[in-house]
C-alpha cells in the first residue's frame, strides 16, 4: 500500500477520522476543565561552590566536584527535608490533613505520610552551567504553593547546617574525651622531668645547663693539659735521676752534672774554695804546717769542700725529691682527670636524659595543643548557623494555574485523535476492502486490467475518456466509482 492509496482511503473514510478527532478534542477539553487546578511557585537558591570556611579561612575545593550538585539535589528531595517542612508549617495539625490521613489507612505516622505527599508535588531543577537551583511546588492554593516552596528552601538550608554541624559536634565530643588522657600524659611527662631534675640536682634552664656543661668540659681540658705537662716534667726528671744514678754507680764525680753546674751556691762555694786554695798555697810556702794560720786555712778549705759536697748531695737529693713530687702530682692529676671525666659523663648522661624527658614533654604539649585547637575548631563549627547557600529569589503566589495546561492538552488531544482516527480508518479498510485503483484488482486476482469505464462526475458530466475507451493496463490508472 503506497501513500496514494492511503490518501484515497483516508479521504473516503474522512468522516471516521473527523469523528475520532472531535471525540478526543472534546475529551481533552473536558478533562482540562474538570481536572483540579494547581498553582506552581518556585524559589531560586545559589550554592556557592567556592565558599571559604569561616573557621579555618580555607577554601572548600571538594564542592567543585561534579557530584556535589547532585548530592544537593538529593538532599533537597529527601524525606528528612520534607519532614522539616511539615513540622515548620504545622501541616500535621490541620484538620483536613488529619482527616485525609485517617481515610488513607496508612500504617506510617501523619508526618511521614504528609512528607511523602509533598515530595510528589516537588519539582527541583538545577541549572546546567551555574550554581543555581530552582525549587518549585504544585498546590491547589497559590499561597500554599509559595509557602511550601519557601519552606523547602529554609528546611534545606537548616538541614545543610545540621549536616555540617553534627559531624563537628561528634568530633568535638570525641576530642573532649581525648583531652583528659592527653592532659594526664602531659602532666605525667612534666612530673617525670621535674622529679629527675630534683633527684639529680640538675639545672632546669637549658641555657644555664649548657653553660655548666661548657665549664665542666673546660675543666676537663685544663686538667688534661696539666697532666700532660706534669708527665712531661716527670719524664724529664726521671731521665736526670737515671743519669745521676748511672754516674754514681760508675764512680764518676757528680760535679760534672748539669744540676751541680747550674747551682749558683755550689759555683760560689767552688770559687771561694779556689781562692782559699790559692791563698793556702802561698801561705804554705811561708809558714810551717803547725802554724795556726796554716791550720786555719787548711780547715777553711776542708769546710768549703764539705759544703760543696753537702750542697751537691742536696741538689741531687732535691732532684730525686722533685721526681717523687712530680710523680705524686701526676697521680693526683690523673685521679682528678678521671673524676672530671666521670663527672662530665654523668652530667652529659643527665642532660641527655633531660633532653629525652623534655622532648617527651614537648611532644605531649604539641599533641595537647593540637587536640585543643581541633576541639575549639569543631566547637565553633558545631555552633555555626550559616552555610554556603544563598536565597536568590523567594517563591511568590502565582496569578495563573500551572496545571492543567489547556492549549497543550488540546494539542495532545488533537494529535491523539488524529492518530487514533487514522488507525481506525485503516482498520475499517482492512475489514471492508474496496477496489479504488486498477492495481488493487491486479494485486487481488493476479490478472491484468484491459481497460476501464470512466465514472460520471457529480456535475453529471462524463469523465475525460468515453465509456468504450480501452487502453492497456500499463497506462496510468484512473479511479473507478
Amino acid at each position: 500500500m503506497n501513500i496514494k492509496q492511503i490518501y484515497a482511503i483516508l479521504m473516503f473514510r474522512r468522516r471516521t477520522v473527523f469523528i475520532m478527532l472531535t471525540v478526543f478534542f472534546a475529551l481533552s477539553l473536558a478533562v482540562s476543565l474538570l481536572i483540579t487546578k494547581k498553582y506552581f511557585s518556585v524559589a531560586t537558591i545559589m550554592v556557592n561552590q567556592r565558599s571559604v570556611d569561616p573557621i579555618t579561612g580555607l577554601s572548600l575545593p571538594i564542592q567543585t566536584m561534579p557530584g556535589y550538585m547532585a548530592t544537593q539535589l538529593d538532599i533537597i528531595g529527601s524525606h528528612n527535608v520534607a519532614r522539616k517542612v511539615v513540622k515548620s508549617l504545622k501541616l500535621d495539625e490541620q484538620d483536613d490533613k488529619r482527616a485525609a490521613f485517617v481515610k488513607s489507612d496508612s500504617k506510617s505516622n501523619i508526618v511521614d505520610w504528609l512528607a511523602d505527599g509533598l515530595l510528589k508535588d516537588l519539582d527541583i531543577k538545577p541549572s546546567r552551567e551555574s550554581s543555581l537551583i530552582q525549587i518549585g511546588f504544585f498546590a491547589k492554593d497559590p499561597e500554599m504553593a509559595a509557602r511550601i516552596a519557601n519552606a523547602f528552601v529554609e528546611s534545606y538550608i537548616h538541614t545543610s547546617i545540621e549536616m555540617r554541624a553534627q559531624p563537628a559536634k561528634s568530633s568535638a565530643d570525641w576530642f573532649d574525651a581525648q583531652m583528659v588522657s592527653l592532659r594526664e600524659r602531659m602532666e605525667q611527662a612534666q612530673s617525670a622531668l621535674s622529679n629527675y631534675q630534683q633527684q639529680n640536682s640538675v639545672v632546669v634552664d637549658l641555657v644555664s645547663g649548657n653553660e655548666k656543661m661548657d665549664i665542666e668540659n673546660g675543666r676537663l681540658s685544663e686538667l688534661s693539659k696539666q697532666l700532660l705537662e706534669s708527665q712531661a716534667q716527670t719524664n724529664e726528671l726521671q731521665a736526670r735521676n737515671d743519669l745521676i744514678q748511672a754516674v754514681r754507680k760508675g764512680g764518676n764525680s757528680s760535679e760534672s752534672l748539669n744540676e751541680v753546674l747550674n747551682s749558683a751556691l755550689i759555683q760560689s762555694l767552688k770559687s771561694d774554695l779556689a781562692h782559699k786554695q790559692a791563698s793556702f798555697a802561698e801561705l804554705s810556702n811561708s809558714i810551717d804546717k803547725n802554724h795556726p794560720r796554716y791550720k786555719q786555712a787548711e780547715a777553711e778549705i776542708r769546710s768549703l769542700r764539705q759544703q760543696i759536697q753537702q750542697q751537691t748531695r742536696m741538689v741531687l737529693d732535691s732532684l730525686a725529691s722533685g721526681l717523687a713530687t712530680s710523680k705524686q702530682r701526676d697521680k693526683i692529676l690523673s685521679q682528678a682527670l678521671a673524676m672530671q671525666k666521670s663527672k662530665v659523663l654523668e652530667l652529659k648522661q643527665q642532660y641527655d636524659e633531660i633532653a629525652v624527658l623534655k622532648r617527651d614533654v614537648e611532644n605531649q604539649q604539641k599533641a595537647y595543643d593540637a587536640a585543643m585547637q581541633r576541639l575549639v575548631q569543631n566547637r565553633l563549627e558545631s555552633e555555626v548557623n550559616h552555610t554556603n547557600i544563598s536565597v536568590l529569589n523567594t517563591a511568590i503566589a502565582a496569578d495563573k494555574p500551572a496545571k492543567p495546561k489547556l492549549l497543550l492538552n488540546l494539542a495532545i488531544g488533537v494529535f491523539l485523535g488524529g492518530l487514533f482516527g487514522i488507525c481506525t480508518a485503516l482498520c475499517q479498510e482492512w475489514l471492508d476492502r474496496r477496489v479504488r485503483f486498477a492495481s488493487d484488482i491486479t494485486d487481488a486476482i493476479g490478472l491484468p486490467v484491459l481497460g476501464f469505464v470512466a465514472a460520471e462526475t457529480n456535475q453529471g458530466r462524463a469523465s475525460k475518456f468515453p465509456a468504450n475507451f480501452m487502453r492497456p493496463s500499463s497506462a496510468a490508472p484512473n479511479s473507478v466509482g
Side-chain angles (χ1 to χ4, degrees):
M1 184 178 296
N2 54 35
I3 297 177
K4 190 174 182 181
Q5 290 174 331
I6 294 175
Y7 177 75
I9 294 171
L10 295 178
M11 291 301 297
F12 179 75
R13 300 185 184 276
R14 57 184 175 272
R15 181 179 299 176
T16 302
V17 176
F18 179 75
I19 292 173
M20 292 298 173
L21 185 63
T22 304
V23 170
F24 274 86
F25 181 82
L27 288 175
S28 300
L29 180 61
V31 171
S32 299
L33 295 177
L34 295 176
I35 195 172
T36 304
K37 295 181 180 181
K38 285 190 176 183
Y39 294 85
F40 181 72
S41 294
V42 60
T44 305
I45 62 174
M46 181 182 69
V47 180
N48 186 6
Q49 298 187 14
R50 295 294 298 175
S51 62
V52 177
D53 194 321
I55 307 301
T56 62
L58 301 176
S59 60
L60 305 177
I62 191 173
Q63 297 179 0
T64 61
M65 297 175 61
Y68 179 76
M69 292 299 293
T71 303
Q72 302 308 307
L73 298 179
D74 292 338
I75 293 174
I76 296 172
S78 64
H79 187 77
N80 186 22
V81 174
R83 282 179 57 89
K84 286 184 173 61
V85 173
V86 174
K87 290 292 186 181
S88 63
L89 297 179
K90 298 181 180 180
L91 298 179
D92 54 329
E93 299 179 5
Q94 298 179 5
D95 296 336
D96 56 342
K97 298 294 188 295
R98 288 181 174 275
F101 173 70
V102 173
K103 291 181 180 180
S104 65
D105 295 332
S106 177
K107 295 182 179 179
S108 61
N109 56 53
I110 185 172
V111 176
D112 292 330
W113 181 77
L114 290 174
D116 293 336
L118 293 178
L119 292 176
K120 295 178 181 178
D121 294 326
L122 182 65
D123 183 72
I124 308 171
K125 292 181 180 179
S127 177
R128 294 183 178 180
E129 298 180 356
S130 65
S131 302
L132 299 181
I133 300 177
Q134 293 183 346
I135 302 176
F137 191 80
F138 293 94
K140 298 177 182 179
D141 184 8
E143 296 291 339
M144 181 58 69
R147 289 179 59 193
I148 294 178
N150 292 327
F152 263 99
V153 172
E154 294 177 359
S155 299
Y156 164 58
I157 295 175
H158 183 64
T159 302
S160 298
I161 294 174
E162 284 184 350
M163 293 178 64
R164 180 181 178 182
Q166 184 60 38
K169 185 177 183 302
S170 300
S171 299
D173 294 339
W174 184 82
F175 275 111
D176 270 335
Q178 297 300 315
M179 290 299 294
V180 178
S181 61
L182 290 175
R183 188 182 297 107
E184 291 178 353
R185 294 177 184 177
M186 183 179 66
E187 291 175 353
Q188 290 175 358
Q190 291 176 345
S191 178
L193 175 61
S194 178
N195 292 336
Y196 185 84
Q197 289 174 338
Q198 292 178 1
Q199 292 174 1
N200 296 276
S201 300
V202 181
V203 181
V204 179
D205 189 6
L206 282 177
V207 177
S208 61
N210 291 331
E211 291 178 353
K212 184 177 181 181
M213 192 71 184
D214 294 339
I215 292 173
E216 296 299 333
N217 285 328
R219 290 178 180 176
L220 179 64
S221 300
E222 184 65 25
L223 286 173
S224 179
K225 180 180 179 180
Q226 291 178 4
L227 178 61
L228 291 176
E229 292 176 353
S230 178
Q231 287 177 346
Q233 184 178 1
T234 302
N235 293 333
E236 182 180 357
L237 292 175
Q238 183 68 44
R240 291 179 181 179
N241 186 62
D242 293 342
L243 179 61
I244 292 172
Q245 297 299 328
V247 170
R248 286 181 175 179
K249 289 181 180 180
N252 297 324
S253 174
S254 300
E255 295 180 356
S256 61
L257 295 175
N258 291 332
E259 287 75 9
V260 176
L261 296 176
N262 293 332
S263 177
L265 179 59
I266 294 176
Q267 296 304 321
S268 177
L269 292 174
K270 285 184 177 183
S271 177
D272 293 341
L273 178 62
H275 286 97
K276 292 294 183 181
Q277 286 178 347
S279 299
F280 180 73
E282 292 178 359
L283 185 62
S284 61
N285 294 328
S286 60
I287 61 175
D288 187 60
K289 294 182 179 180
N290 295 320
H291 194 277
R293 291 180 61 191
Y294 182 89
K295 292 183 178 180
Q296 181 180 0
E298 188 178 16
E300 290 177 355
I301 291 173
R302 190 182 305 110
S303 175
L304 287 174
R305 285 178 178 175
Q306 291 177 355
Q307 289 181 8
I308 290 173
Q309 292 178 358
Q310 183 179 3
Q311 289 299 324
T312 301
R313 285 196 299 271
M314 289 179 63
V315 168
L316 296 179
D317 291 341
S318 65
L319 181 63
S321 177
L323 176 61
T325 303
S326 181
K327 288 182 178 181
Q328 184 65 25
R329 184 171 61 252
D330 290 346
K331 183 177 180 181
I332 294 174
L333 288 174
S334 297
Q335 293 177 353
L337 181 63
M339 292 178 62
Q340 186 65 22
K341 284 183 179 179
S342 177
K343 185 177 181 179
V344 170
L345 291 176
E346 183 180 1
L347 190 62
K348 186 176 184 302
Q349 182 179 3
Q350 290 176 356
Y351 280 109
D352 289 341
E353 184 67 24
I354 287 178
V356 173
L357 294 175
K358 281 184 175 293
R359 282 196 298 270
D360 190 16
V361 172
E362 291 174 357
N363 293 334
Q364 296 298 332
Q365 184 68 44
K366 289 179 180 179
Y368 181 81
D369 293 341
M372 179 61 71
Q373 182 179 0
R374 291 292 303 276
L375 173 62
V376 173
Q377 178 180 341
N378 283 289
R379 281 299 180 197
L380 292 176
E381 290 182 356
S382 64
E383 297 175 0
V384 70
N385 57 358
H386 63 278
T387 181
N388 62 323
I389 303 166
S390 303
V391 179
L392 184 61
N393 296 318
T394 58
I396 58 176
D399 297 333
K400 297 179 181 180
K403 292 181 180 181
K405 296 180 180 180
L406 181 60
L407 295 179
L408 179 61
N409 292 341
L410 293 179
I412 294 175
V414 170
F415 174 76
L416 293 178
L419 182 62
F420 193 76
I422 292 173
C423 293
T424 304
L426 293 177
C427 290
Q428 288 179 348
E429 182 68 19
W430 181 71
L431 296 175
D432 184 14
R433 186 68 182 273
R434 303 292 182 89
V435 177
R436 304 183 188 282
F437 297 94
S439 59
D440 293 342
I441 299 176
T442 302
D443 294 337
I445 63 178
L447 296 176
V449 177
L450 300 178
F452 61 90
V453 178
E456 185 178 357
T457 61
N458 294 333
Q459 290 78 11
R461 294 178 298 175
S463 64
K464 183 178 179 181
F465 301 103
N468 58 355
F469 180 78
M470 301 296 292
R471 62 178 178 177
S473 60
S474 61
N478 194 8
S479 60
V480 294

